[in-house]
Amino acid sequence: MNNFPSVFEAINDLSKDQIEGLLILARKFKERDHDKPQFPNKLPIVANSFLENSTRTKNSFAIAIKRLGCHYLDFNTETSSLNKGESLEETLLTLYAQGVDLCIIRTSVSNQLSEFKNNTPVKIINGGDGTNQHPTQALLDLFTMQEIGIELEGKTMAIIGDCIHSRVGHSLCELLPQFGCNIILCGPSDYVPKTPEYEGVEISNDLESTVKRSDFLYTLRIQKERHAGSTEAAKHYDTYHDKYGISRDKLKAWNKEVPVFHPGPANIGVEISTDIIKSSLYKGYDQVVNSIYMRMAIITAILSNNDKNIGIIDGTRIRD
Ligand code: NCD
């Protein structure tokens, strides 16, 4: 894959060719014919650095790293010098000097990784930054949609929920329209932008008409941890399931028993009902399965990009 970036922060860092290349590579990993160590000479060291909570993303990266035969470093931020006031750049340069080749970073600070794009302490994959981007989630979602046979060109997907505060939503809005898929962002007015921010993306506050126009649905958790006590955001909590929750009854009544995606963690009984989660309409577990293969593809692409401008201080590379 040509010129894969060394800091993969956002969907827009990739060309359509690179995205297609990742989809092919993820499929090959899934078919198992490439599921063996990729790096015969020197095994890369990959660190997982999650500065914010995570279950599935952290584990999925850890498994992908191990399946590729790389050395795995669980960089525990609670006990690291980041807690003693060291900057993230210093920490990353130190990890690089110790031999780490790639760091997966999750942070609650939006855009925290963009400063490293021109001055790269170590190769970086964004595992989700604040409300900004979660590009590997969007790519594994695209892979899953293709795997279950959804032809995206000319289709419409509804993203239902707390779209403003969802980094997954933002990455999907940058990715799926590139494959000809229209998106409707649907939720209460405090959870969706006033006007569309992306090409191929519309806004709606009406669930019934949105679902009726959609070929498949993507549900999002209410991101309470990002509401910072906002009374506008909180006023929808109690009524959310009735008004915007996706249930079997609603989909039956609207004659729209279509695939339902969710990045997890799902709040069952809020944005999605148990009868959807237990049904074959629910694709959340397919997303988890495919997360391993897409992340194996992304890690392989970034480790193979031959970028020599990593870990440079005053023009000198701090390690070979
Ligand atoms: C998402 C995240 O962390 O942004 N989850 C995930 O990575 N699978 C979505 C969420 O937290 O609601």
Side-chain angles (χ1 to χ4, degrees), residues 5 21 35 37 66 106 139 151 167 193 218 222 250 277 309:
D35 189 4
K66 290 173 188 183
R106 167 166 289 191
L139 286 164
E151 177 53 68
R167 51 197 177 205
Y218 198 105
I222 300 175
K250 283 181 189 166
I277 298 252
N309 298 317

Side-chain angles (χ1 to χ4, degrees), residues 33-313:
D33 56 342
H34 278 54
D35 189 4
K36 53 184 183 288
Q38 300 292 297
F39 313 101
N41 300 327
K42 179 180 160 292
L43 289 183
I45 304 176
V46 184
N48 234 353
S49 219
F50 277 62
L51 317 178
E52 196 193 56
N53 296 346
S54 167
T55 311
R56 63 211 84 215
T57 304
K58 185 174 181 189
N59 288 345
S60 156
F61 269 114
I63 293 164
I65 291 162
K66 290 173 188 183
R67 291 278 294 271
L68 286 168
C70 299
H71 293 297
Y72 174 64
L73 181 71
D74 185 0
F75 179 66
N76 188 343
T77 48
E78 263 137 50
T79 54
S80 80
S81 291
L82 277 171
N83 267 359
K84 297 183 191 164
E86 185 172 70
S87 72
L88 183 58
E89 184 186 23
E90 259 311 295
T91 304
L92 295 176
L93 282 167
T94 304
L95 286 173
Y96 182 74
Q98 288 174 332
V100 169
D101 299 287
L102 166 65
C103 203
I104 321 298
I105 302 179
R106 167 166 289 191
T107 165
S108 55
V109 183
S110 299
N111 300 302
Q112 194 180 15
L113 307 178
S114 52
E115 67 163 300
F116 301 129
K117 279 183 166 167
N118 296 328
N119 193 9
T120 307
V122 66
K123 291 183 182 180
I124 295 170
I125 296 175
N126 184 0
D129 66 318
T131 60
N132 181 37
Q133 284 275 319
H134 195 349
T136 66
Q137 177 70 44
L139 286 164
L140 73 89
D141 294 335
L142 168 62
F143 181 49
T144 307
M145 288 162 195
Q146 290 191 344
E147 287 278 288
I148 64 172
I150 294 176
E151 177 53 68
L152 290 172
E153 185 64 49
K155 295 287 189 317
T156 297
M157 177 179 85
I159 302 183
I160 301 155
D162 188 0
C163 301
I164 288 184
H165 301 99
S166 168
R167 51 197 177 205
V168 177
H170 294 142
S171 289
L172 286 167
C173 286
E174 289 186 2
L175 182 64
L176 296 193
Q178 294 191 49
F179 290 77
C181 182
N182 302 309
I183 293 178
I184 307 173
L185 300 180
C186 179
S189 54
D190 296 300
Y191 292 179
V192 291
K194 300 274 170 279
T195 49
E197 291 162 352
Y198 303 93
E199 196 131 330
V201 177
E202 300 173 41
I203 314 291
S204 170
N205 304 123
D206 182 58
L207 183 67
E208 181 174 346
S209 65
T210 298
V211 170
K212 285 183 172 166
R213 288 180 53 209
S214 299
D215 299 288
F216 52 106
L217 312 176
Y218 198 105
T219 49
L220 292 174
R221 185 176 65 84
I222 300 175
Q223 316 269 311
K224 290 186 180 173
E225 73 278 21
R226 307 207 175 104
H227 291 170
S230 147
T231 44
E232 282 77 31
K235 72 176 188 242
H236 305 287
Y237 294 170
D238 292 342
T239 52
Y240 189 86
H241 188 67
D242 274 357
K243 289 194 177 157
Y244 291 99
I246 295 299
S247 67
R248 202 79 205 238
D249 284 350
K250 283 181 189 166
L251 297 192
K252 257 193 201 139
W254 299 334
N255 203 15
K256 270 287 171 180
E257 291 187 273
V258 293
V260 180
F261 295 84
H262 195 306
N267 287 160
I268 298 171
V270 184
E271 71 271 15
I272 195 164
S273 64
T274 310
D275 56 9
I276 294 281
I277 298 252
K278 301 279 178 224
S279 78
S280 60
L281 298 178
Y282 181 63
K283 302 303 171 197
Y285 298 111
D286 302 79
Q287 289 165 273
V288 174
V289 168
N290 287 321
S291 72
I292 310 287
Y293 305 107
M294 177 46 80
R295 290 186 170 125
M296 286 170 78
I298 296 165
I299 292 167
T300 302
I302 202 165
L303 285 174
S304 312
N305 76 357
N306 289 325
D307 190 347
K308 298 279 178 244
N309 298 317
I310 315 286
I312 290 178
I313 295 179

